[in-house]
Amino acid sequence: MKNLIKNILLLGSVVLMLAACKKDETRVVAKSDATAPALTATYENLVLNEADAAAEAIMFKWSKADYGYSAAISYTVEVAKKDSNFVNAKSVSAGANSQLVLTVGAFNSLLNQLNLVGFAQNDVEVRVKSEIGGGVAPVYSKSIPLVVSPYLDKPAYQTLYLVGDGTFGQWDNNKATPVFRDPANAFVFTFTGNFSNGAFKFLGKLGQWYPSWGSNGSGGVMFREKDADPDPANFPITSGYHKVTLNLRSNTYTDVPYDASGKTTYASIGIIGPFTDWGSIIPMTNTTLNPHIWTIDHTFDSDTEMKFRIAEGWSVNWGPANDGTASDVYGVGGNGGGNFKVKAGSYTIIFNDMTAEYVFIKK
């Protein structure tokens, strides 16, 4: 009986201790109406230049969010296209700081992720998100508008296409002629070949009339971004061989006559590699207007190697200019040499036997 009384007294003491501990506990609860940060920026209109990539572009500053008690807060700056409700917004973490400084290069890369129009004014919105974790919903500042003109880190196009009565496909934009790219400048698109007397313009997508580039009527280039935009005038061209060049960065166009009189006209050129056991070629096709431009649609079932070669044998073949360019999807090759390295997939492949230019267009 004595032991039973002892146990009852001991149990009572434990219950009293737990109750005392419970009374001493203090719960911290975030305000349901937490005060969001207020955001400002040093500029409202920015033109970004690649030459200034390392320079400071913009500073975002904000007041500290108030959750009703002292908390460890982390902030994230979000940038989105205007009126997108921040769907597909891109963000940069600022940690616990109340400001974020971005260089021209860093801000430009962030903007390029939004697929904005390069070298033109774009409307975007910026806000800052405040978080404390622990299941507490984040709070956002009011968005602020910015007008930004980013430069392109790289063109949005694998290649461009020529369409017009000066080209083989005439005005059928589904038969437009692919062009090549300058390996030293990804924004420079070139085509060296034969033209009919007439005119043409550049298209950004096969089978579509926009985006497109044509003449502005006074020696310059006019860009048509979307269907509702005015259609640019055509570039005139005379019959014969020309090298035409469009620079998307400088928005300039050149037309230079090309002497093809000493160039060999081959009966057949094709692709060859392990997929043919390095035996015979898979023939490419050319046209009567451009017998030196060869095209093929081909699917590689696995990563492989290949070269361009005439049908008769190995006396004439083309590979990459050097080992460092073997995996490039566009460039200028060389006679003989190594092998192109191609990733598995379906491609349209174009090759110019006069200039050794090539481009692999991934489908």
Side-chain angles (χ1 to χ4, degrees):
M1 185 68 179
K2 184 181 292 185
N3 287 336
L4 177 61
I5 292 172
K6 269 185 183 180
N7 289 337
I8 291 172
L9 290 174
L10 180 60
L11 179 61
S13 298
V14 171
V15 170
L16 287 172
M17 287 174 64
L18 289 172
C21 289
K22 191 171 183 180
K23 286 178 183 177
D24 289 342
E25 178 186 350
T26 301
R27 296 190 63 196
V28 179
V29 180
K31 294 195 303 182
S32 60
D33 58 342
T35 303
L39 175 65
T40 61
T42 49
Y43 300 103
E44 297 178 351
N45 194 318
L46 273 175
V47 177
L48 304 178
N49 295 304
E50 187 174 13
D52 303 322
E56 179 181 317
I58 193 167
M59 176 189 291
F60 298 105
K61 297 183 70 172
W62 52 89
S63 58
K64 187 175 181 181
D66 181 9
Y67 289 86
Y69 68 98
S70 179
I73 305 174
S74 62
Y75 298 98
T76 303
V77 173
E78 297 183 338
V79 185
K81 288 184 177 180
K82 182 182 178 181
D83 298 328
S84 67
N85 293 318
F86 285 86
V87 175
N88 298 321
K90 303 305 174 182
S91 60
V92 180
S93 173
N97 300 314
S98 58
Q99 68 179 40
L100 176 69
V101 177
L102 293 176
T103 64
V104 169
F107 194 35
N108 192 77
S109 294
L110 187 69
L111 295 172
N112 275 192
Q113 294 176 51
L114 297 174
N115 295 318
L116 302 179
V117 179
F119 313 105
Q121 290 188 337
N122 297 261
D123 292 310
V124 299
E125 295 177 308
V126 184
R127 70 182 182 184
V128 63
K129 177 172 70 173
S130 168
E131 296 178 287
I132 60 173
V136 179
V139 293
Y140 299 87
S141 71
K142 289 183 179 179
S143 64
I144 59 173
L146 292 181
V147 178
V148 292
S149 299
Y151 58 88
L152 293 176
D153 292 331
K154 60 182 179 179
Y157 317 98
Q158 294 186 80
T159 190
L160 301 183
Y161 300 84
L162 304 181
V163 65
D165 57 6
T167 70
F168 175 78
Q170 300 288 295
W171 288 106
D172 185 344
N173 61 11
N174 289 296
K175 296 180 180 178
T177 303
V179 304
F180 301 93
R181 296 172 69 177
D182 186 338
N185 188 339
F187 293 89
V188 175
F189 293 81
T190 68
F191 182 82
T192 303
N194 196 24
F195 290 85
S196 300
N197 194 59
F200 70 93
K201 61 183 58 174
F202 292 85
L203 301 179
K205 295 181 180 179
L206 190 65
Q208 187 169 300
W209 290 110
Y210 63 92
S212 65
W213 295 260
S215 172
N216 65 3
S218 58
V221 176
M222 179 177 173
F223 173 56
R224 180 188 185 189
E225 178 191 358
K226 51 187 181 295
D227 192 24
D229 292 340
D231 191 21
N234 304 322
F235 294 114
I237 197 78
T238 57
S239 60
Y241 280 83
H242 299 253
K243 179 179 180 179
V244 296
T245 303
L246 180 68
N247 187 324
L248 299 189
R249 176 164 283 170
S250 62
N251 210 33
T252 54
Y253 164 78
T254 60
D255 171 9
V256 179
Y258 182 82
D259 184 6
S261 59
K263 301 299 181 180
T264 303
T265 300
Y266 298 100
S268 181
I269 288 178
I271 59 173
I272 190 170
F275 46 90
T276 67
D277 294 324
W278 293 106
S280 58
I281 65 169
I282 299 176
M284 304 173 80
T285 60
N286 60 0
T287 66
T288 53
L289 181 63
N290 269 297
H292 298 283
I293 308 295
W294 303 86
T295 303
I296 189 172
D297 291 323
H298 188 76
T299 298
F300 299 98
D301 295 327
S302 59
D303 294 355
T304 190
E305 297 183 349
M306 61 149 280
K307 300 189 81 170
F308 300 105
R309 201 196 78 176
I310 62 172
E312 294 82 0
W314 287 101
S315 60
V316 181
N317 68 88
W318 297 264
N322 53 65
D323 290 342
T325 62
S327 299
D328 292 352
V329 294
Y330 65 91
V332 178
N335 293 327
N339 304 326
F340 293 104
K341 300 182 186 302
V342 186
K343 293 290 186 182
S346 296
Y347 297 84
T348 295
I349 306 170
I350 305 99
F351 175 65
N352 186 333
D353 67 49
M354 296 185 299
T355 63
E357 291 173 292
Y358 62 90
V359 60
F360 293 77
I361 306 169
K362 188 74 176 288
K363 293 186 176 180

